[in-house]
PDB file of all heavy atoms in Angstrom:
ATOM      1  N   VAL V1693     -50.857  43.172  -6.458  1.00  0.00           N
ATOM      2  CA  VAL V1693     -51.795  42.071  -6.309  1.00  0.00           C
ATOM      3  C   VAL V1693     -51.308  40.829  -7.051  1.00  0.00           C
ATOM      4  O   VAL V1693     -51.433  39.698  -6.579  1.00  0.00           O
ATOM      5  CB  VAL V1693     -53.207  42.502  -6.789  1.00  0.00           C
ATOM      6  CG1 VAL V1693     -54.146  41.348  -6.787  1.00  0.00           C
ATOM      7  CG2 VAL V1693     -53.747  43.580  -5.834  1.00  0.00           C
ATOM      8  N   THR V1694     -50.758  41.041  -8.242  1.00  0.00           N
ATOM      9  CA  THR V1694     -50.204  39.938  -9.042  1.00  0.00           C
ATOM     10  C   THR V1694     -49.134  39.154  -8.241  1.00  0.00           C
ATOM     11  O   THR V1694     -49.098  37.962  -8.201  1.00  0.00           O
ATOM     12  CB  THR V1694     -49.637  40.475 -10.392  1.00  0.00           C
ATOM     13  OG1 THR V1694     -50.544  41.356 -10.924  1.00  0.00           O
ATOM     14  CG2 THR V1694     -49.396  39.286 -11.331  1.00  0.00           C
ATOM     15  N   ASP V1695     -48.277  40.014  -7.583  1.00  0.00           N
ATOM     16  CA  ASP V1695     -47.207  39.362  -6.787  1.00  0.00           C
ATOM     17  C   ASP V1695     -47.872  38.532  -5.687  1.00  0.00           C
ATOM     18  O   ASP V1695     -47.403  37.421  -5.495  1.00  0.00           O
ATOM     19  CB  ASP V1695     -46.377  40.529  -6.075  1.00  0.00           C
ATOM     20  CG  ASP V1695     -45.319  41.046  -7.056  1.00  0.00           C
ATOM     21  OD1 ASP V1695     -45.142  40.430  -8.087  1.00  0.00           O
ATOM     22  OD2 ASP V1695     -44.691  42.052  -6.701  1.00  0.00           O
ATOM     23  N   HIS V1696     -48.847  39.069  -4.994  1.00  0.00           N
ATOM     24  CA  HIS V1696     -49.503  38.323  -3.951  1.00  0.00           C
ATOM     25  C   HIS V1696     -50.120  37.011  -4.525  1.00  0.00           C
ATOM     26  O   HIS V1696     -49.988  35.954  -3.900  1.00  0.00           O
ATOM     27  CB  HIS V1696     -50.588  39.159  -3.308  1.00  0.00           C
ATOM     28  CG  HIS V1696     -50.049  40.070  -2.234  1.00  0.00           C
ATOM     29  ND1 HIS V1696     -49.922  39.666  -0.968  1.00  0.00           N
ATOM     30  CD2 HIS V1696     -49.567  41.336  -2.326  1.00  0.00           C
ATOM     31  CE1 HIS V1696     -49.346  40.621  -0.264  1.00  0.00           C
ATOM     32  NE2 HIS V1696     -49.140  41.649  -1.064  1.00  0.00           N
ATOM     33  N   ILE V1697     -50.721  37.126  -5.713  1.00  0.00           N
ATOM     34  CA  ILE V1697     -51.355  35.945  -6.279  1.00  0.00           C
ATOM     35  C   ILE V1697     -50.290  34.887  -6.591  1.00  0.00           C
ATOM     36  O   ILE V1697     -50.448  33.715  -6.334  1.00  0.00           O
ATOM     37  CB  ILE V1697     -52.117  36.281  -7.561  1.00  0.00           C
ATOM     38  CG1 ILE V1697     -53.337  37.125  -7.166  1.00  0.00           C
ATOM     39  CG2 ILE V1697     -52.505  35.099  -8.367  1.00  0.00           C
ATOM     40  CD1 ILE V1697     -54.076  37.741  -8.350  1.00  0.00           C
ATOM     41  N   SER V1698     -49.145  35.403  -7.195  1.00  0.00           N
ATOM     42  CA  SER V1698     -48.082  34.444  -7.539  1.00  0.00           C
ATOM     43  C   SER V1698     -47.518  33.761  -6.300  1.00  0.00           C
ATOM     44  O   SER V1698     -47.004  32.668  -6.348  1.00  0.00           O
ATOM     45  CB  SER V1698     -46.974  35.179  -8.243  1.00  0.00           C
ATOM     46  OG  SER V1698     -46.222  35.971  -7.360  1.00  0.00           O
ATOM     47  N   LYS V1699     -47.682  34.404  -5.077  1.00  0.00           N
ATOM     48  CA  LYS V1699     -47.286  33.754  -3.849  1.00  0.00           C
ATOM     49  C   LYS V1699     -48.407  32.946  -3.253  1.00  0.00           C
ATOM     50  O   LYS V1699     -48.299  32.401  -2.158  1.00  0.00           O
ATOM     51  CB  LYS V1699     -46.769  34.824  -2.848  1.00  0.00           C
ATOM     52  CG  LYS V1699     -45.407  35.330  -3.189  1.00  0.00           C
ATOM     53  CD  LYS V1699     -45.047  36.554  -2.344  1.00  0.00           C
ATOM     54  CE  LYS V1699     -43.848  37.270  -2.880  1.00  0.00           C
ATOM     55  NZ  LYS V1699     -43.879  38.685  -2.623  1.00  0.00           N
ATOM     56  N   GLY V1700     -49.502  32.897  -3.901  1.00  0.00           N
ATOM     57  CA  GLY V1700     -50.622  32.056  -3.479  1.00  0.00           C
ATOM     58  C   GLY V1700     -51.612  32.818  -2.539  1.00  0.00           C
ATOM     59  O   GLY V1700     -52.529  32.206  -1.994  1.00  0.00           O
ATOM     60  N   ASP V1701     -51.410  34.143  -2.367  1.00  0.00           N
ATOM     61  CA  ASP V1701     -52.336  34.925  -1.524  1.00  0.00           C
ATOM     62  C   ASP V1701     -53.401  35.541  -2.380  1.00  0.00           C
ATOM     63  O   ASP V1701     -53.162  36.414  -3.177  1.00  0.00           O
ATOM     64  CB  ASP V1701     -51.501  35.978  -0.761  1.00  0.00           C
ATOM     65  CG  ASP V1701     -52.440  36.896   0.084  1.00  0.00           C
ATOM     66  OD1 ASP V1701     -53.598  36.513   0.287  1.00  0.00           O
ATOM     67  OD2 ASP V1701     -51.931  37.926   0.513  1.00  0.00           O
ATOM     68  N   LEU V1702     -54.605  35.088  -2.204  1.00  0.00           N
ATOM     69  CA  LEU V1702     -55.721  35.595  -3.030  1.00  0.00           C
ATOM     70  C   LEU V1702     -56.585  36.583  -2.240  1.00  0.00           C
ATOM     71  O   LEU V1702     -57.686  36.964  -2.723  1.00  0.00           O
ATOM     72  CB  LEU V1702     -56.560  34.430  -3.572  1.00  0.00           C
ATOM     73  CG  LEU V1702     -55.847  33.420  -4.509  1.00  0.00           C
ATOM     74  CD1 LEU V1702     -56.819  32.331  -4.913  1.00  0.00           C
ATOM     75  CD2 LEU V1702     -55.364  34.148  -5.738  1.00  0.00           C
ATOM     76  N   SER V1703     -56.130  37.017  -1.086  1.00  0.00           N
ATOM     77  CA  SER V1703     -57.002  37.845  -0.245  1.00  0.00           C
ATOM     78  C   SER V1703     -57.050  39.298  -0.737  1.00  0.00           C
ATOM     79  O   SER V1703     -57.967  39.992  -0.408  1.00  0.00           O
ATOM     80  CB  SER V1703     -56.476  37.754   1.183  1.00  0.00           C
ATOM     81  OG  SER V1703     -55.165  38.356   1.267  1.00  0.00           O
TER      82      SER V1703
END
Side-chain angles (χ1 to χ4, degrees):
Chain V
V1693 172
T1694 315
D1695 278 350
H1696 277 273
I1697 290 169
S1698 73
K1699 283 170 194 150
D1701 176 14
L1702 295 179
S1703 62

